Amino acid sequence: MNDVVDLRSDTVTRPSAGMRRAMIDAPLGDDVFGDDPTVNRLQEHAAALFGFEAALLFPSGTQSNLAALMSHCQRGDEVIIGAEQHSYRYEAGGMGVLGSIHARVLANRADGTLDLAEVEAAISPDDPHFARTRLLALENTISGRPIARAYFEQALALARRRGLATHVDGARIFNAAVHFGTTVKALCAGSDSVSSCLSKGLGAPAGTLLMGSRDFIGRARRARKILGGAMRQAGVIAAAGLYALENNVERLASDHANAERLANGLRALGLACEQHTNMVFVTVPAARAAALAEHLKARNILVLPGARMRLVAHLDVDTNGIERALGAFGEFFTQLTDAEAGAPGGIRTHDPWLRRPIL
């Protein structure tokens, strides 16, 4: 059992003993010269797994996504993208700062998709007044929400009809595939490029793969060099990625089950929850969020404070860890209820949230 139950993200996992052995034993070369055998093996394996001609290893998902956008778009070109998507919201504005790419931002719907009628309306006409729309960027999963193949078929058909390329940020695409009981190849078929992280639910310490045609990956290799992502003896990272792909995909189902267990337990405490794949979003009173995080931390439960708190299940959190977290949440909110009832140091009862019953 891990002493610390870290629910901040699935990026916090540490390499298992088997993964560490694979890293130590990996044959190495210089990947800039293309002669690291472990990197080459990983890239060939990933390309086949996703159904693309070629793949390229990057240090991070942020760099992989940016290289993809730069490979699809020239300076001044436009990408249609969702407001919640990582490439737009959480990657430091790199597409504008480094890629000179204009973002046409649309609202994501409740299920994480973009309204395809809005997408089509957002495509700029062929007019020198407007940036040229070149790319439709999608994401799967998005905030843990898996997006089904049926939607992608419609989106890809629209993009083809209107002459747009498509990029899928598939940082957690394996979670979506496990959720739907399908393969990443089936989910991604027809996309022009897909980026997929090894360092989230799959448990590797670093690394993201970008898949596409050979010509596209050739452009992405140049973009990776420009962005400082070319590595030398990268086989130590690639070996971890290979181990992850060969050992840690099917077990994602247990993360989903643990997230569901956590969400059900929090609902039993009277808390409003959403659960999607390995993520739980729980609503807590904003005034208590920091105190809750400190209470949990004192019990070796790590979370990111917030009124809409994201809790992420992963391979380093087992069912016992989920129960420990639920116990700590229950203790905190029971104390609040007791204090409201008049215990020393009580909380004033004009706070309507605290008058909710703890079930």
Side-chain angles (χ1 to χ4, degrees):
M1 181 189 74
N2 292 328
D3 184 52
V4 175
V5 179
D6 195 338
L7 299 172
R8 293 174 299 172
S9 176
D10 48 8
T11 62
V12 302
T13 58
R14 291 170 173 80
S16 65
M19 184 179 286
R20 289 173 188 266
R21 284 194 299 272
M23 296 170 73
I24 291 170
D25 295 339
L28 302 179
D30 189 322
D31 184 48
V32 174
F33 291 120
D35 61 9
D36 189 301
T38 310
V39 172
N40 292 340
R41 181 177 158 219
L42 171 63
Q43 291 173 166
E44 291 165 5
H45 178 67
L49 189 65
F50 280 83
F52 286 88
E53 290 182 344
L56 187 64
L57 176 65
F58 284 79
S60 72
T62 295
Q63 190 177 85
S64 176
N65 279 330
L66 179 54
L69 268 59
M70 291 172 62
S71 300
H72 283 301
C73 298
Q74 300 298 310
R75 292 168 60 88
D77 284 348
E78 179 178 76
V79 56
I80 296 175
I81 192 167
E84 294 183 31
Q85 289 175 223
H86 266 69
S87 294
Y88 172 71
R89 189 170 184 182
Y90 297 112
E91 295 179 0
M95 73 172 77
V97 175
L98 300 177
S100 298
I101 298 167
H102 177 66
R104 185 68 176 271
V105 185
L106 303 179
N108 290 91
R109 297 187 293 191
D111 64 356
T113 63
L114 299 177
D115 185 312
L116 295 182
E118 293 182 7
V119 169
E120 184 152 25
I123 299 171
S124 297
D126 185 8
D127 185 304
H129 290 89
F130 305 109
R132 296 174 299 180
T133 308
R134 290 293 190 230
L135 179 66
L136 173 61
L138 302 167
E139 188 168 335
N140 198 10
T141 67
I142 181 165
S143 295
R145 292 167 291 185
I147 299 177
R149 175 63 191 173
Y151 172 80
F152 275 92
E153 288 176 354
Q154 296 175 41
L156 296 174
L158 168 61
R160 285 193 296 270
R161 179 166 54 82
R162 297 301 303 269
L164 304 182
T166 52
H167 172 65
V168 178
D169 177 357
R172 295 181 174 91
I173 190 74
F174 285 98
N175 291 91
V178 167
H179 173 83
F180 290 121
T182 186
T183 65
V184 291
K185 183 176 182 178
L187 275 182
C188 299
S191 304
D192 291 297
S193 62
V194 176
S195 178
S196 183
C197 284
L198 300 165
S199 60
K200 294 184 169 67
L202 298 185
T208 290
L209 291 158
L210 179 64
M211 280 66 64
S213 68
R214 288 190 181 87
D215 286 345
F216 171 81
I217 291 299
R219 298 195 301 273
R221 188 180 299 275
R222 174 174 289 275
R224 186 183 69 173
K225 183 67 174 178
I226 292 169
L227 297 172
M231 298 177 285
R232 298 297 179 173
Q233 286 70 42
V236 291
I237 296 173
L242 277 166
Y243 184 93
L245 292 175
E246 292 168 355
N247 295 275
N248 290 345
V249 173
E250 291 183 2
R251 62 146 309 281
L252 290 172
S254 65
D255 295 342
H256 299 180
N258 279 336
E260 184 177 16
R261 184 186 189 98
L262 179 60
N264 289 337
L266 292 171
R267 291 186 187 108
L269 295 174
L271 299 169
C273 284
E274 295 177 32
Q275 181 252 326
H276 308 288
T277 58
N278 67 324
M279 295 186 184
V280 175
F281 295 85
V282 56
T283 302
V284 301
R288 316 298 173 199
L292 171 60
E294 286 302 314
H295 170 90
L296 295 172
K297 184 177 181 180
R299 288 148 183 82
N300 285 335
I301 313 294
L302 300 184
V303 299
L304 296 175
R308 188 172 185 262
M309 187 178 288
R310 188 189 75 165
L311 309 172
V312 186
H314 51 78
L315 61 82
D316 284 353
V317 176
D318 58 14
T319 54
N320 183 66
I322 296 297
E323 292 303 319
R324 286 175 56 197
L326 286 171
F329 269 93
E331 183 183 29
F332 179 82
F333 287 107
T334 298
Q335 288 175 356
L336 287 184
T337 304
D338 291 344
E340 182 190 27
I347 299 168
R348 290 178 294 181
T349 58
H350 67 252
D351 185 338
W353 195 93
L354 293 175
R355 293 199 293 271
R356 297 175 63 198
I358 300 297
L359 303 177

